[in-house]
Amino acid sequence: MDEALPRGLTPQVLAVLVRRGADFAAAEDAVQDALVEALRVWPADPPRDAKGWLITVAWRKFLDAHRADTARRRREDRVDEEPAPGPAAAGDDTLQLYFLCAHPSLTPSSAVALTLRAVGGLTTRQIARAYLVPEATMAQRISRAKRTVSGVRLDRPGDVATVLRVLYLVFNEGYSGDVDLAAEAIRLTRQLAAAIDHPEAAGLLALMLLHHARRAARTAPDGSLVPLGEQDRGLWDTTAIAEGVAVLQAALARDRLGEFQAQAAIAALHADAPTAEETDWVQIVEWYDELTRLTDSPVVRLNRAVAVGEADGPRAGLAALAALDDSLPRYTAVAAYLHERDGDPATAARLYAEAAHQATSLPERDHLTRQAARLNSRRSH
């Protein structure tokens, strides 16, 4: 049935309904109803034009609900606007829908959450994990965002920064799991970078390309995680790396540095190193300093501590780590790594085991558990 419902049609159909005047919540319900109808009908009678079929049925579902709502009878004249059956016009409205979801009536955080849920296809749990908040908190945030936009026309697009943030989070979720989600984020970011004159759009595209280039090397055949320093660099996609570096260089030449460009510069330095031992950690620390200045993010400071540990030794890394809140995600895993580098396997093994209990994904938990077992095994011999 997955083949009968092509990926990526849902946001395009949703965008058409919104453009025709449906409020966001009602349009989303209508599209879901149309998808249910497609699951029932298509196996026996698949349409020649899937998008046109979904648009027609979703619009009818919206109009049916619209007529039933006495509070909205004044809008019944939209019946005549029902799109005629037949081939739909070619085009991709997904990126436009990202901008519409970033509506000025929403706060940036609410706009990001709503877009990730409605357009990006992420679950509430995935979004909550990305924002480091409880799932119930994120569910309330998304519900409030839907209520906010349910009574307004989505004809005032939001700003580029919010859309970039959404695309970044969608890619991150896909990078750690669903390949298609990451590829879709790259596709949309490529469209955005080509359509607008914005160095951060180019920076984000470069960052995605450089990270995605390493995907084939990030897991072993058994599905276990492979740390960056242990990856087979022969599996890296050199074409994607070359494109990412070229896009980054063009963006940096404009001298309007932003956080995505800085992150891409760090990724490019990793990609440029023939081996892990030849990584230019000193320059990576300098870029983390720039990134800290731009974002003042505790997660950036945590990553910087790792880079300091590589550039100046594990004691320096532990000193940088000590200045941070130990409740940060992956703090314990970083401490374990730096203690192992500092020649303290007992502390490192204990911290790896603690970090495994705190891990938010099964592959990460298994990796940290193996690290603890490896050190404990060495100590017992």
Side-chain angles (χ1 to χ4, degrees):
M1 194 61 221
D2 288 342
E3 294 180 358
L5 291 176
R7 297 180 64 88
L9 283 185
T10 300
Q12 296 181 38
V13 175
L14 184 57
V16 171
L17 267 63
V18 169
R19 284 209 314 273
R20 290 181 177 275
D23 67 75
F24 191 89
E28 188 178 27
D29 289 342
V31 172
Q32 293 303 315
D33 289 343
L35 291 172
V36 171
E37 185 72 6
L39 288 169
R40 185 182 68 83
V41 172
W42 287 12
D45 185 22
R48 282 181 292 182
D49 178 23
K51 179 179 175 182
W53 190 98
L54 285 172
I55 289 173
T56 299
V57 173
W59 185 250
R60 286 173 179 164
K61 296 287 186 183
F62 165 71
L63 291 178
D64 288 343
H66 177 75
R67 296 188 195 100
D69 187 348
T70 57
R72 298 177 182 176
R73 288 180 181 174
R74 66 185 181 277
R75 299 161 77 181
E76 285 185 346
D77 56 353
R78 297 186 189 277
V79 173
D80 295 334
E81 298 178 17
E82 177 182 329
D92 182 357
D93 300 308
T94 308
L95 190 57
Q96 180 188 11
L97 191 56
Y98 270 68
F99 274 94
L100 292 176
C101 284
H103 195 269
S105 63
L106 295 172
T107 64
S109 61
S110 294
V112 170
L114 177 62
T115 313
L116 289 172
R117 183 71 185 91
V119 190
L122 274 64
T123 66
T124 303
R125 177 174 298 178
Q126 289 172 319
I127 301 169
R129 188 168 67 236
Y131 272 88
L132 308 178
V133 299
E135 184 176 352
T137 300
M138 184 52 65
Q140 292 175 354
R141 184 179 300 177
I142 294 172
S143 295
R144 285 196 300 268
K146 286 183 176 181
R147 288 196 299 270
T148 299
V149 300
S150 64
V152 300
R153 288 287 299 272
L154 298 184
D155 55 359
R156 296 165 56 206
D159 64 10
V160 173
T162 301
V163 174
L164 290 173
R165 178 63 51 187
V166 173
L167 290 167
Y168 174 68
L169 291 173
V170 170
F171 174 81
N172 279 348
E173 195 60 44
Y175 187 59
S176 61
D178 187 338
V179 181
D180 289 338
L181 195 59
E184 174 70 357
I186 292 173
R187 184 182 71 84
L188 293 173
T189 304
R190 193 186 295 279
Q191 284 186 8
L192 183 60
I196 64 172
D197 183 23
H198 197 299
E200 273 293 81
L204 180 57
L205 176 59
L207 176 63
M208 289 180 175
L209 290 169
L210 289 164
H211 277 310
H212 205 59
R214 301 200 300 260
R215 184 172 183 94
R218 293 184 70 247
T219 54
D222 63 0
S224 59
L225 292 179
V226 180
L228 176 60
E230 301 173 19
Q231 289 177 12
D232 179 358
R233 299 183 179 221
L235 297 176
W236 290 2
D237 185 343
T238 55
T239 300
I241 290 172
E243 181 185 2
V245 169
V247 171
L248 173 63
Q249 288 175 338
L252 291 176
R254 301 180 60 183
D255 198 23
R256 290 168 54 192
L257 184 64
E259 63 173 296
F260 293 128
Q261 295 171 70
Q263 287 188 57
I266 293 169
L269 287 168
H270 284 298
D272 187 54
T275 65
E277 293 72 23
E278 295 174 85
T279 303
D280 189 345
W281 286 106
V282 172
Q283 193 172 171
I284 287 176
V285 171
E286 293 174 355
W287 276 110
Y288 270 121
D289 289 340
E290 287 286 349
L291 194 53
T292 300
R293 180 181 61 80
L294 290 166
T295 67
D296 196 29
S297 164
V299 175
V300 169
R301 292 181 183 276
L302 183 68
N303 291 331
R304 179 185 178 277
V306 176
V308 169
E310 299 289 353
D312 301 327
R315 294 285 175 91
L318 287 167
L321 187 66
L324 304 178
D325 185 346
D326 62 7
S327 66
L328 277 171
R330 297 188 174 86
Y331 178 101
T332 309
V334 170
Y337 173 75
L338 290 172
H339 276 290
E340 181 182 358
R341 289 279 318 281
D342 195 37
D344 187 356
T347 300
R350 175 178 59 80
L351 291 172
Y352 275 130
E354 288 182 16
H357 287 294
Q358 300 166 1
T360 58
S361 72
L362 183 59
E364 183 182 6
R365 187 194 70 188
D366 290 346
H367 171 71
L368 293 168
T369 300
R370 284 193 296 270
Q371 295 296 88
R374 172 179 57 81
L375 292 179
N376 285 327
S377 176
R378 287 181 183 176
R379 292 169 56 210
S380 62
H381 287 84

